[in-house]
Amino acid sequence: MKKAVFLDLESLDDLELGGLTKLFEDFETYMSTEPGQVEERIAGAEVVLVNKVRLDAGVLARASGLKLIAVVATGTNNVDLDAARRAGIAVCNCRAYGNDAVIQHVFSLMLALHTRLIDYNRAVRAGRWQQATQFCFLDFPIREMAGKTLGILGYGNLGQGVARIAEAFGMRVLVAQRPGADPQPGRVPLDELLPQLDVLTLHCPLSEQTHNIIDADALARMKPGAFLINAARGGIVDETALAEALRAGRLAGAATDVLSVEPPKDGNPLLADDIPNLIVTPHCAWGSLEARQRIIDQTAENIDAFLCGESLRRVV
């Protein structure tokens, strides 16, 4: 094909792109693209690559010559799939490229919460160890993960991977049955599961059914000493309710890699500086060098398959 345009390369610009560029005579890249720039930039392109830039029905209806949208991510909610289908535009995405990175990040958060790693590091840098009366100081309670019960909401590839590692730590693993979903053997209704847990980790997609599924009532059902970890999507947790639960000591701690609006330019309840034992990371769980190179390589595979008349990771 002659021309492809990558509209938002910013989080992937340090990677090897040769597998993509060799497929086209003309391969244009932009670090980011504002909504008003989309139509001009994709004009004349046969393939458009996007990570998070929105491609709505109006843009797609006017994109003459566009044959393929390659979503450089798993989620396709930024593309109007019905409009793409009507226009005869194929859509593909990437899958399971970041499983190892996300699982690793989940356990980094889980371990940091149990060991109070960040609190101890801050205390040492503030001079607390130098002032200690013995060889150590134990100002923050340290807990072991062995023997604790981990609950998993969302049991796809990520949830199953987390379960395997948790069992290696000696944890007991329970899997939640999502409200509204068809019952499955071995899964426990969420309301029954929550009071049993020492840790709840989230790995389900954001949908109408899962939006704010962890709300004030759900948090109130959890043990006061429990931890919550969210490496899924920000909208799954009621952020105001979580902030209040942590301030009130109704949870021992929480960690999130995601917020309901990203980046949080207008603030967020979980960014207040008075919330105890909360870790917030900037949606970076997926971002290992290896995972990001896999997403580029998968995108190249998807496009190459399309050019050869084959279907690989096709959504539309």
Side-chain angles (χ1 to χ4, degrees):
M1 282 191 175
K2 292 184 178 181
K3 183 179 179 181
V5 178
F6 199 148
L7 292 177
D8 48 345
L9 182 64
E10 186 170 2
S11 62
L12 302 163
D13 59 313
D14 59 331
L15 302 174
E16 171 54 51
L17 302 180
L20 286 172
T21 58
K22 71 180 183 181
L23 298 174
F24 304 96
E25 296 177 20
D26 181 5
F27 187 78
E28 295 181 1
T29 62
Y30 299 94
M31 289 299 103
S32 62
T33 297
E34 296 299 321
Q37 299 174 314
V38 173
E39 286 195 44
E40 177 185 355
R41 290 184 174 180
I42 70 174
E46 295 170 278
V47 177
V48 171
L49 295 82
V50 292
N51 186 345
K52 296 294 184 288
V53 171
R54 295 192 64 81
L55 298 176
D56 60 26
V59 166
L60 297 182
R62 294 185 289 273
S64 60
L66 180 58
K67 298 177 180 178
L68 173 67
I69 298 168
V71 180
V72 191
T74 300
T76 57
N77 57 300
N78 55 319
V79 178
D80 189 321
L81 298 181
D82 289 335
R85 192 175 289 109
R86 289 194 299 269
I89 302 169
V91 181
C92 58
N93 69 347
C94 299
R95 302 171 194 175
Y97 60 89
N99 284 359
D100 290 339
V102 173
I103 292 167
Q104 175 176 286
H105 195 81
V106 166
F107 279 94
S108 296
L109 298 175
M110 200 181 304
L111 286 162
L113 288 171
H114 280 79
T115 62
R116 300 295 290 268
L117 183 71
I118 293 174
D119 292 308
Y120 278 109
N121 181 60
R122 287 174 178 163
V124 168
R125 291 184 176 276
R128 174 68 184 84
W129 200 4
Q130 296 89 317
Q131 301 164 6
T133 57
Q134 57 175 339
F135 70 96
C136 69
F137 66 96
L138 298 169
D139 291 11
F140 309 102
I142 300 169
R143 302 183 182 186
E144 295 181 357
M145 287 163 44
K148 301 299 191 300
T149 299
L150 173 70
I152 301 175
L153 177 58
Y155 203 58
N157 289 332
L158 282 172
Q160 292 171 36
V162 167
R164 288 192 295 271
I165 303 301
E167 288 169 351
F169 273 100
M171 302 184 82
R172 172 188 179 223
V173 176
L174 298 176
V175 180
Q177 176 69 55
R178 287 208 308 269
D182 294 333
Q184 297 187 49
R187 302 198 180 185
V188 182
L190 183 61
D191 285 350
E192 297 178 19
L193 182 72
L194 292 172
Q196 304 181 51
L197 302 180
D198 298 294
V199 184
L200 173 64
T201 183
L202 308 177
H203 301 287
C204 55
L206 177 61
S207 65
E208 290 183 10
Q209 291 72 34
T210 61
H211 179 256
N212 279 352
I213 192 171
I214 305 302
D215 57 11
D217 289 341
L219 293 169
R221 290 177 180 272
M222 296 177 67
K223 297 177 183 179
F227 295 113
L228 171 67
I229 296 174
N230 185 8
R233 288 292 182 268
I236 295 170
V237 176
D238 183 328
E239 293 162 334
T240 298
L242 177 57
E244 292 174 354
L246 290 167
R247 287 191 184 99
R250 293 195 296 274
L251 287 181
T256 185
D257 185 54
V258 289
L259 296 175
S260 54
V261 177
E262 299 170 344
K265 293 182 179 179
D266 297 320
N268 184 283
L270 295 179
L271 296 180
D273 58 9
D274 65 336
I275 304 175
N277 208 19
L278 171 66
I279 301 171
V280 181
T281 54
H283 205 142
C284 61
W286 69 283
S288 70
L289 178 62
E290 295 87 350
R292 291 184 301 116
Q293 188 62 55
R294 278 194 291 272
I295 204 173
I296 291 294
D297 295 344
Q298 282 193 15
T299 301
E301 292 170 359
N302 293 344
I303 296 171
D304 190 43
F306 178 80
L307 297 179
C308 294
E310 301 170 359
S311 178
L312 181 62
R313 304 186 189 95
R314 283 281 292 272
V315 179
V316 172

